């Protein structure tokens, strides 16, 4: 068995260099919720040095709330914002003689695209306008994944190591108790189940089917470095290759 481990990086947290050796792909902030042109470049360099696949991590233009507030933008404006971010990241990666591998929306943009067709179409149309070879990271059974597939994009189903799920197979709202996981042993059981049995246990102890090609650890989780290191080690010990 094999799995991709991805992490949201370039967000100014300061742990990117420590995370890179234990992941296989990364999602670099494009400056709209966190980061800057200089941080983007430095994070690209870290990823290339570690042999980590690079993705763009576009968001709503919302630095004040780290991209975690819903913004009701007109379609044209939302599309332009996403195009700008992916285009900037692609250009910077290619300027380092490498290729952009994937796109994964951030925060509220990601959550809205998973259930709102208009937002999902803005994300997908931005990607297809720039490069149809880019892979879209999106959750199983989401509007975003469905529209991406219909438009011919390659989809990697993403599941989350450090977040709890509700009974609709959506991430539990961060404001609720138990939404963010930090205990590495609990996280590993959570991840191992999703990979090996394709089951996830919800916050209400309901067991649901899930597909996972890539597992995300949030870089802003205070336990991020410890978690990715532990996951990488335990997965290898259990015969699951990190690719």
């Amino acid at each position: 068995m094999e799995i991709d481990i991805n992490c949201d990086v370039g967000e100014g947290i300061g742990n990117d260099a420590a995370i890179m050796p234990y992941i296989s792909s990364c999602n670099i902030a494009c400056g709209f919720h966190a980061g800057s042109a200089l941080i983007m470049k430095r994070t690209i360099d870290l990823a290339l040095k570690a042999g980590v696949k690079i993705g763009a991590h576009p968001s709503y233009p919302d630095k004040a709330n780290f991209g975690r507030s819903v913004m009701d933008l007109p379609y044209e404006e939302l599309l332009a914002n996403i195009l700008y971010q992916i285009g900037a990241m692609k250009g910077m990666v290619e300027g380092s003689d490498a290729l952009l591998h994937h796109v994964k929306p951030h925060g509220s943009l990601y959550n809205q695209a998973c259930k709102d067709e208009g937002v999902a179409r803005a994300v997908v149309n931005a990607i297809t306008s720039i490069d149809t070879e880019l892979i879209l990271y999106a959750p199983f059974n989401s509007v975003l994944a469905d529209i991406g597939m219909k438009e011919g994009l390659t989809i990697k189903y993403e599941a989350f190591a450090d977040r709890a799920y509700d009974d609709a197979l959506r991430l539990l709202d961060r404001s609720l108790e138990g939404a963010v996981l930090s205990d590495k042993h609990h996280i590993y059981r959570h991840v191992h189940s999703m990979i090996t049995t394709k089951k996830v246990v919800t916050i209400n102890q309901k067991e649901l089917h899930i597909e996972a090609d890539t597992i995300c650890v949030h870089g802003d989780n205070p336990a991020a470095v410890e978690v990715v290191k532990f996951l990488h080690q335990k997965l290898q010990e259990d015969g699951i290759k990190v690719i």
Side-chain angles (χ1 to χ4, degrees):
M1 300 188 78
E2 55 189 31
I3 193 70
D4 174 53
I5 298 178
N6 79 75
C7 191
D8 303 337
V9 294
E11 297 177 323
I13 306 300
N15 57 5
D16 295 343
I19 285 171
M20 288 293 180
Y22 306 106
I23 61 176
S24 44
S25 67
C26 68
N27 323 301
I28 301 179
C30 303
F32 275 40
H33 74 280
S36 65
L38 180 57
I39 291 174
M40 288 163 70
K41 179 65 173 66
R42 287 176 174 170
T43 312
I44 289 166
D45 291 344
L46 285 173
L48 293 177
K49 185 177 179 181
V52 171
K53 300 181 290 290
I54 297 171
H57 198 37
S59 75
Y60 285 124
D62 179 34
K63 276 200 169 184
N65 300 294
F66 201 69
R68 288 182 175 149
S69 292
V70 176
M71 301 183 74
D72 186 18
L73 301 179
Y75 174 83
E76 184 180 17
E77 183 179 353
L78 179 58
L79 177 65
N81 274 278
I82 300 168
L83 280 166
Y84 185 95
Q85 293 175 79
I86 298 172
M89 183 62 69
K90 187 172 188 287
M92 293 186 78
V93 172
E94 291 176 355
S96 296
D97 295 321
L99 292 175
L100 187 65
H101 176 260
H102 66 275
V103 174
K104 174 195 164 179
H106 166 81
S108 286
L109 178 61
Y110 184 94
N111 293 334
Q112 291 301 109
C114 288
K115 59 187 178 181
D116 184 299
E117 184 174 337
V119 177
R121 288 201 176 279
V123 172
V124 170
N125 290 344
I127 296 170
T128 56
S129 296
I130 291 172
D131 185 352
T132 56
E133 296 300 310
L134 290 170
I135 296 168
L136 173 60
Y137 283 18
F140 170 67
N141 204 27
S142 67
V143 172
L144 179 59
D146 290 346
I147 290 178
M149 281 188 283
K150 287 175 183 174
E151 295 301 322
L153 291 175
T154 299
I155 307 297
K156 272 197 173 185
Y157 288 127
E158 181 180 43
F160 289 82
D162 54 1
R163 295 292 305 280
Y165 285 82
D166 66 18
D167 291 351
L169 205 60
R170 293 176 180 165
L171 298 182
L172 194 66
D173 189 284
R174 283 177 174 271
S175 65
L176 299 177
E177 185 178 353
V180 178
L181 312 180
S182 58
D183 179 83
K184 62 185 180 182
H185 298 282
H186 179 190
I187 288 173
Y188 185 69
R189 291 191 298 271
H190 180 61
V191 168
H192 189 267
S193 174
M194 291 190 288
I195 296 171
T196 60
T197 70
K198 298 188 177 183
K199 299 286 185 182
V200 63
V201 178
T202 71
I203 193 70
N204 295 317
Q205 301 304 304
K206 187 174 181 180
E207 194 174 69
L208 301 177
H209 176 72
I210 194 168
E211 297 283 342
D213 302 307
T214 181
I215 300 288
C216 175
V217 176
H218 287 92
D220 66 320
N221 187 320
V225 175
E226 182 183 14
V227 167
V228 293
K229 186 175 181 179
F230 187 73
L231 277 180
H232 191 278
Q233 175 190 333
K234 289 290 291 178
L235 288 168
Q236 304 270 39
E237 288 176 0
D238 288 344
I240 301 170
K241 187 176 181 181
V242 177
I243 60 162

